[in-house]
Amino acid sequence: MVKAYLRYEPAVSFGVIISSGDSNIAFDSCGKHLLASALEKLAVWHVRQGVCTKTLIPSASRPGPSLAVTTVASSPSSSSPSLVASGYADGSIRIWDTEKGNCETVFNGHKGAVTILRYNKGGALLASGSKDNDVILWDIVGETGLFRLRGHRDQVTDLVFLESSKRLVSSSKDKFLRVWDLETQHCMQIISGHHSEIWSMDVDPEERYLVTGSADQELRFYTVSHDLEGWQAHPNENPRGSDSRSKWQVLKLFGEIQRQAKDRVSTVRFNKSGNLLACQVAGKTVDLYRVLDATEAKRKAKRRLHRKKEKKSGKDVEEATENKDVKLVTEDGITPLISVSDVFKLLQTIRTGKKICSISFSPVTPKNVMATLALSLNNNLLEFYSIESSSSTKTLTIELQGHRSDVRSVTLSSDNTLLMSTSHNAVKFWNPSTGSCLRTIDSEYGLCGLIVANNKHALVGTKSGKIEIIDIGSGTCTQAVEAHGGSVGSIATIPNENAFVTGSADHEVKFWEYQIKQMPGQDSKKFMISNVRTMKMNDDVLVVAISPDAKYIAVALLDCTVKVFFMDSLKFFLSLYGHKLPVLCMDVSSDGDLIVTGSADKNLKIWGLDFGDCHKSLFAHADSVMAVQFVRNTHYVFSVGKDRLVKYWDADNFELLLTLEGHHADVWCLAISSRGDFLVTGSHDRSIRRWDRTEEPFFLEEEKEKRLQEIFEADIDNAFESKYVPKELPEEGAVALAGKKTQETLTATDLIIEALDVADVELKRIAEHEEISRGSAAEFHPNPIMLGLSPTDYILRAIANVQTNDLEQTLLALPFSDALKLLSFLKDWIAYPDKTHHNQLISTPAARSVLSVLRDILYARVKECKDTLGFNLAAMNHLRQLLASRSDALFRDAKAKLLEIRSQQSKRLEARAETREEKGKRKKQKNQLTCML
């Protein structure tokens, strides 16, 4: 009989506030919530309350590092403010409804991790950039990809929509900016100038200036063109002069500003009103620049020139002006000059205690505050600042939920109701069933832990060699005992005794006893520990383990060996030698028959504890094995390693049973419940994950076949035929299809082919029945597989079941013969009130008859739709004119015209004021000259 095992599945993960990777944070369009990536989850934090209101988790059969959230963007549309887009490491994009908490659609187009997402102002288009060097434009309303833009030679780092001119600007690590025309879908301008990778860029809300940041010491600013035919983007531009723009010049260098920080720029962002610019570097600072309006910039330029005139009196103004300054043209002539330093002024610098990962401006600004800025730090922290004109104030910090660094050890209590985890500065106690944090206690760097004395006290071994005694009830560290001269790397309890053993890098193994004593003169009792025995070793002690019957103690040393001693006499019993690198973890089975060791040489070794013979050596992980533990009363073993995997083994048959994926970084520690119904793991990604045993049985052979199938389906695009085709660089400014081939599209293609075959057989049956039953009343029995539908409706149902965003790739995967069959049904579908293989179809004689029929039908349908649209537009224009004639309210055109007239009048008034001021200055200079003479 084939042996069956029970499956373990991921249940819950907790402890992560914000991922420490490259993902960004973003406010929603209302400014009430902050969107932050938490590994594969997208957390929605309420800004005022500081609590996580929703967690958006993608439904996937194999969660893992490929599903890590890499970028987030919120929709600016007022009609759909709850829509949020998130990009993932596997190249997929998901559109979420944060109010409902469900995923609206999934886009698959990128072959690398998505690095940036940007909505246009209307929220109908979404642009995405990726590590595959491509930019894809998506239609959010139609739920489909529009086109793919190729041309960059390295990963795309940022994207910006230029709404007024229907263009898209992309930046990349290849040091270039590219301007794309979205109507013609071509690259119309390539901008160089940076000496290193461009990491971020942004444009102000009025689209006057575009700023880019890199590892250079300067921020570069560009002026933006809105009308290429006779455009005057900035007052510094003179269309009549020699500096007028060329036809394709959308961006023109305006100037540079020297940065204070030496670290590379990570993010540059304007706030919603456009009066602030934040420059976040890959360090601990954010520089805030104030953006001056045109009047203030002119005034500042005049003061600057006046100071230069005073310093260099007698010289011409043009000689005193820097080469970077350009002439400002007004209606009355040439007036002083504006440079980039006249528009952007450093306001203040925000400094944090840890490295900043990302920043985001709130779209809503409170009263008496210039802006609200959110920061994510790499120590699993979120901070919020209120920015004022002279200073910045920290208003909120979200920190209590998780550890600030790696989770180095996890320990379960004897009744499995309490979980303790340690990190470099804190010990936390959790409810393992809900994932809620119960206590947070400041501590030194904890490497190992133990819960003792009826779950009332805990012991933590630290890197400095101390043993910290923690009172769980009060949540305080009552005592820190100087236990070892080196780091305490391992702590193990002695069964059926109030005692434990510690191993340290000072070459010593110490035996301790603990008891609760009544202190003289006090009502309270104190938990005390005392050293009873010490065993000196020849090398650093890495791990200690004790057999369940307390007969043996095993000690793993830095010399790659494991020494086994008798517990009572401490006499040497066995030496387990075979690992090529030091043993980092080990455990003894409940019956005392087996001991399993995991090493930095990536192997697991299973030994017999009676004779010390190695039963089997297993290549377990792709990196060091960090923790290993037996399930109680079984010979099943769990192991974790630096390859981010949790593996489940049968130590009797030496077989791998399951591979559990979920962690996004090295897994450091492991703890299994006493009943074996769940296990807990801690990782470098700061998360703690619980894996539950289910009632679902599985068989070993089925799991092996499943793993082979997953390897086969891992990379569908790299099929055998394409592996030997040389890869060419993309054509300059090339356009391609937006989607990509996935397992879902291939499955949908197979279903359509199957439906076509069934419909083809049914059509033949119908034709045969009609021929046989001429003149007779023979009854026709339809195929039950088709659910009572006609062949045409059955094919249409199969196509309608395909997701909208997968339809194009599904149809492209059809063989030509099946595409020709599908086309024969199209004439019937077009007749309802509701182009693939184009080149082959127009050159195939067999398809001409079908195409000629389609031509007549399609022309009539298109003309009907065109007439309907034209009629509706004419009716709307007529209604608009009627309403305008009956109402005193101004419509958009009249209002825009009035605003234009007012702006022209204000410009004339400013010019006259400046002329008067200049005349007064000239008169004053003339009087001074007269006095001197």
Side-chain angles (χ1 to χ4, degrees):
M1 185 176 177
V2 180
K3 187 175 182 180
Y5 303 87
L6 292 179
R7 188 179 300 277
Y8 283 82
E9 290 183 349
V12 67
S13 66
F14 46 92
V16 178
I17 299 173
I18 176 73
S19 301
S20 59
D22 298 329
S23 180
N24 65 317
I25 56 175
F27 279 94
D28 63 357
S29 58
C30 302
K32 293 181 180 179
H33 297 90
L34 182 73
L35 309 166
S37 64
L39 304 178
E40 75 277 4
K41 299 186 287 188
L42 186 62
V44 183
W45 293 90
H46 195 284
V47 176
R48 288 188 179 179
Q49 299 175 0
V51 296
C52 183
T53 57
K54 278 189 177 65
T55 302
L56 309 176
I57 308 174
S59 56
S61 57
R62 289 178 61 83
S66 62
L67 275 177
V69 180
T70 54
T71 183
V72 184
S74 60
S75 174
S77 173
S78 57
S79 59
S80 54
S82 61
L83 287 185
V84 170
S86 59
Y88 293 82
D90 63 351
S92 64
I93 299 169
R94 285 170 173 81
I95 309 297
W96 301 88
D97 190 329
T98 54
E99 288 184 357
K100 301 176 183 176
N102 57 0
C103 181
E104 297 292 321
T105 185
V106 181
F107 295 132
N108 286 297
H110 289 291
K111 298 179 182 178
V114 182
T115 54
I116 182 65
L117 291 173
R118 281 286 186 115
Y119 278 96
N120 69 337
K121 286 184 180 177
L125 296 178
L126 178 70
S128 62
S130 169
K131 287 186 177 180
D132 62 7
N133 311 345
D134 292 345
V135 178
I136 300 180
L137 203 68
W138 306 92
D139 183 357
I140 300 298
V141 179
E143 297 184 358
T144 184
L146 298 178
F147 48 84
R148 182 192 302 264
L149 301 172
R150 287 177 169 167
H152 283 294
R153 297 293 188 267
D154 207 335
Q155 80 172 50
V156 180
T157 55
D158 214 338
L159 297 167
V160 164
F161 277 99
L162 301 180
E163 299 288 339
S164 56
S165 53
K166 296 182 180 179
R167 292 182 179 90
L168 180 72
V169 185
S170 60
S171 64
S172 170
K173 281 188 176 181
D174 61 8
K175 308 175 189 177
F176 292 106
L177 292 176
R178 285 178 177 266
V179 183
W180 307 87
D181 191 317
L182 298 182
E183 291 184 341
T184 59
Q185 302 172 14
H186 78 282
C187 180
M188 58 188 303
Q189 187 181 5
I190 302 175
I191 302 167
S192 61
H194 281 286
H195 303 291
S196 57
E197 297 95 340
I198 303 173
W199 287 96
S200 182
M201 66 175 174
D202 200 18
V203 67
D204 67 318
E206 297 179 3
E207 296 184 4
R208 295 180 300 162
Y209 308 105
L210 184 138
V211 57
T212 59
S214 66
D216 304 342
Q217 282 301 305
E218 305 88 13
L219 286 177
R220 295 174 70 89
F221 293 85
Y222 300 86
T223 53
V224 183
S225 164
H226 300 281
D227 181 11
L228 297 181
E229 295 299 329
W231 175 82
Q232 190 174 354
H234 189 271
N236 284 353
E237 290 292 338
N238 181 8
R240 296 184 292 256
S242 59
D243 290 337
S244 60
R245 295 181 184 245
S246 66
K247 184 179 179 182
W248 304 108
Q249 194 172 7
V250 179
L251 300 178
K252 185 176 181 180
L253 183 63
F254 180 42
E256 298 175 348
I257 290 181
Q258 289 289 328
R259 297 191 294 110
Q260 294 181 340
K262 295 182 179 179
D263 298 313
R264 70 166 176 87
V265 174
S266 182
T267 310
V268 288
R269 288 292 181 267
F270 285 93
N271 66 338
K272 189 174 182 180
S273 59
N275 63 341
L276 282 178
L277 170 66
C279 173
Q280 173 230 330
V281 300
K284 302 178 182 180
T285 61
V286 177
D287 293 332
L288 295 172
Y289 295 87
R290 188 183 171 197
V291 185
L292 305 180
D293 58 18
T295 305
E296 291 176 324
K298 289 176 186 176
R299 196 178 298 118
K300 189 175 179 183
K302 286 179 184 178
R303 288 198 301 267
R304 178 172 51 83
L305 289 180
H306 183 66
R307 288 194 298 268
K308 288 184 179 179
K309 286 177 185 177
E310 290 179 349
K311 289 181 180 178
K312 299 182 178 181
S313 58
K315 290 186 178 182
D316 190 58
V317 177
E318 293 182 359
E319 295 176 357
T321 307
E322 292 181 354
N323 294 330
K324 291 182 182 179
D325 296 337
V326 286
K327 293 183 179 180
L328 173 65
V329 179
T330 64
E331 295 178 356
D332 297 329
I334 297 176
T335 57
L337 320 149
I338 290 182
S339 67
V340 65
S341 59
D342 297 327
V343 182
F344 296 91
K345 175 186 176 183
L346 181 62
L347 185 66
Q348 56 184 279
T349 300
I350 298 176
R351 302 182 187 276
T352 60
K354 293 293 181 179
K355 183 179 175 182
I356 304 171
C357 294
S358 178
I359 62 172
S360 179
F361 275 112
S362 173
V364 179
T365 304
K367 293 181 180 179
N368 304 323
V369 173
M370 294 184 68
T372 300
L373 184 67
L375 282 71
S376 67
L377 307 183
N378 73 336
N379 63 339
N380 200 19
L381 211 65
L382 285 174
E383 292 183 350
F384 297 84
Y385 287 83
S386 290
I387 300 169
E388 300 172 2
S389 56
S390 58
S391 62
S392 299
T393 306
K394 188 191 296 185
T395 57
L396 177 66
T397 301
I398 299 175
E399 61 178 348
L400 286 178
Q401 184 176 352
H403 282 287
R404 306 277 75 80
S405 64
D406 304 11
V407 180
R408 292 308 303 261
S409 74
V410 288
T411 309
L412 284 166
S413 60
S414 56
D415 57 359
N416 306 318
T417 59
L418 198 62
L419 172 69
M420 180 179 72
S421 61
T422 65
S423 66
H424 83 292
N425 65 350
V427 175
K428 286 181 178 284
F429 291 90
W430 310 81
N431 183 341
S433 59
T434 62
S436 58
C437 184
L438 306 176
R439 294 276 191 280
T440 299
I441 304 163
D442 292 337
S443 166
E444 293 187 18
Y445 201 132
L447 298 177
C448 54
L450 192 65
I451 298 176
V452 294
N454 297 324
N455 304 337
K456 293 181 179 179
H457 293 85
L459 305 169
V460 177
T462 67
K463 198 172 184 178
S464 61
K466 297 178 182 177
I467 297 178
E468 294 182 343
I469 302 172
I470 294 174
D471 189 327
I472 299 176
S474 63
T476 57
C477 179
T478 58
Q479 190 181 0
V481 179
E482 296 285 349
H484 288 276
S487 60
V488 182
S490 180
I491 185 168
T493 183
I494 299 177
N496 305 320
E497 294 183 27
N498 293 336
F500 62 94
V501 181
T502 57
S504 171
D506 63 358
H507 302 189
E508 289 182 349
V509 177
K510 290 189 176 183
F511 296 79
W512 305 79
E513 289 182 352
Y514 61 84
Q515 55 184 338
I516 300 175
K517 286 186 177 181
Q518 181 74 43
M519 301 303 294
Q522 296 181 8
D523 296 334
S524 62
K525 295 181 180 181
K526 191 174 182 181
F527 185 88
M528 305 284 291
I529 64 171
S530 58
N531 181 20
V532 293
R533 281 192 297 178
T534 301
M535 183 168 58
K536 191 72 176 176
M537 307 302 296
N538 297 325
D539 213 330
D540 293 9
V541 178
L542 301 181
V543 197
V544 292
I546 299 173
S547 61
D549 56 2
K551 185 178 181 181
Y552 303 110
I553 178 173
V555 182
L557 303 177
L558 192 62
D559 61 2
C560 309
T561 62
V562 176
K563 308 288 186 185
V564 183
F565 300 88
F566 290 101
M567 275 283 290
D568 51 2
S569 62
L570 299 184
K571 288 185 178 179
F572 176 76
F573 175 53
L574 291 172
S575 180
L576 309 180
Y577 178 77
H579 283 290
K580 296 178 181 178
L581 290 173
V583 173
L584 304 178
C585 53
M586 62 181 173
D587 193 31
V588 182
S589 62
S590 300
D591 55 7
D593 291 343
L594 300 178
I595 180 171
V596 59
T597 57
S599 167
D601 62 9
K602 311 172 189 177
N603 290 328
L604 279 180
K605 288 185 183 292
I606 301 168
W607 314 79
L609 199 54
D610 46 1
F611 299 108
D613 55 324
C614 181
H615 292 184
K616 189 70 174 179
S617 180
L618 303 169
F619 183 76
H621 291 267
D623 210 328
S624 302
V625 184
M626 300 308 299
V628 63
Q629 190 173 343
F630 278 99
V631 178
R632 191 172 180 181
N633 299 325
T634 69
H635 283 180
Y636 301 145
V637 180
F638 278 98
S639 66
V640 298
K642 285 188 176 182
D643 59 356
R644 308 176 178 182
L645 300 179
V646 180
K647 294 194 175 183
Y648 185 32
W649 306 85
D650 187 338
D652 290 331
N653 300 325
F654 317 122
E655 293 282 0
L656 173 63
L657 304 179
L658 286 176
T659 299
L660 304 176
E661 296 183 43
H663 281 291
H664 297 251
D666 308 349
V667 187
W668 291 112
C669 48
L670 160 74
I672 303 177
S673 68
S674 57
R675 297 186 297 273
D677 54 344
F678 71 91
L679 69 145
V680 180
T681 54
S683 169
H684 177 69
D685 61 15
R686 301 181 176 89
S687 72
I688 300 172
R689 293 178 183 264
R690 194 184 85 234
W691 316 78
D692 287 354
R693 185 174 63 194
T694 65
E695 297 301 321
E696 178 190 356
F698 69 92
F699 300 98
L700 195 58
E701 293 300 322
E702 291 180 357
E703 285 301 309
K704 288 181 179 179
E705 291 178 9
K706 188 178 177 181
R707 285 196 288 269
L708 289 173
Q709 184 69 20
E710 287 170 356
I711 294 171
F712 178 74
E713 295 173 354
D715 194 357
I716 297 170
D717 287 333
N718 293 337
F720 180 82
E721 296 81 21
S722 63
K723 281 186 178 179
Y724 303 98
V725 178
K727 293 183 178 180
E728 299 179 358
L729 289 173
E731 184 184 346
E732 190 70 24
V735 180
L737 293 174
K740 73 172 182 179
K741 195 183 298 182
T742 62
Q743 185 60 35
E744 289 77 13
T745 60
L746 292 181
T747 304
T749 302
D750 293 339
L751 292 175
I752 292 175
I753 293 173
E754 183 181 347
L756 286 169
D757 293 339
V758 172
D760 195 20
V761 173
E762 186 68 6
L763 286 173
K764 290 179 181 178
R765 286 184 62 237
I766 292 172
E768 291 175 0
H769 175 75
E770 289 177 351
E771 187 176 348
I772 294 171
S773 62
R774 284 178 184 172
S776 64
E779 186 179 356
F780 177 75
H781 297 284
N783 190 345
I785 297 176
M786 298 177 63
L787 306 173
L789 300 173
S790 65
T792 302
D793 292 340
Y794 185 67
I795 300 296
L796 185 60
R797 178 179 175 272
I799 292 180
N801 288 334
V802 181
Q803 294 289 335
T804 308
N805 50 316
D806 293 335
L807 185 58
E808 185 177 22
Q809 287 295 324
T810 300
L811 294 177
L812 285 172
L814 283 174
F816 181 71
S817 57
D818 291 304
L820 196 59
K821 288 181 187 178
L822 185 63
L823 197 62
S824 64
F825 292 97
L826 192 58
K827 61 181 185 295
D828 299 326
W829 299 340
I830 293 173
Y832 294 168
D834 288 329
K835 130 179 173 181
T836 55
H837 303 297
H838 178 263
N839 294 329
Q840 276 185 287
L841 285 171
I842 60 176
S843 60
T844 304
R848 289 173 186 169
S849 58
V850 180
L851 291 175
S852 60
V853 175
L854 289 175
R855 179 190 60 188
D856 300 333
I857 300 173
L858 284 175
Y859 279 162
R861 290 291 297 157
V862 170
K863 187 176 183 304
E864 182 183 343
C865 293
K866 186 178 177 181
D867 292 342
T868 304
L869 289 173
F871 180 80
N872 290 337
L873 287 173
M876 290 172 70
N877 285 329
H878 179 66
L879 289 172
R880 181 179 178 181
Q881 291 172 5
L882 284 176
L883 291 172
S885 62
R886 295 176 185 174
S887 174
D888 294 333
L890 293 171
F891 278 81
R892 188 177 298 174
D893 295 340
K895 196 172 183 180
K897 194 170 183 181
L898 182 61
L899 290 172
E900 186 178 354
I901 293 170
R902 286 180 180 173
S903 64
Q904 289 176 358
Q905 288 176 351
S906 62
K907 285 180 181 178
R908 290 196 194 99
L909 290 173
E910 288 177 7
R912 287 174 188 168
E914 290 172 1
T915 308
R916 282 194 222 101
E917 193 177 344
E918 286 182 1
K919 285 179 180 178
K921 285 183 180 179
R922 283 199 293 269
K923 190 175 180 181
K924 188 177 179 181
Q925 289 175 357
K926 188 177 180 180
N927 293 336
Q928 289 175 354
L929 235 122
T930 306
C931 293
M932 289 171 65
L933 291 172

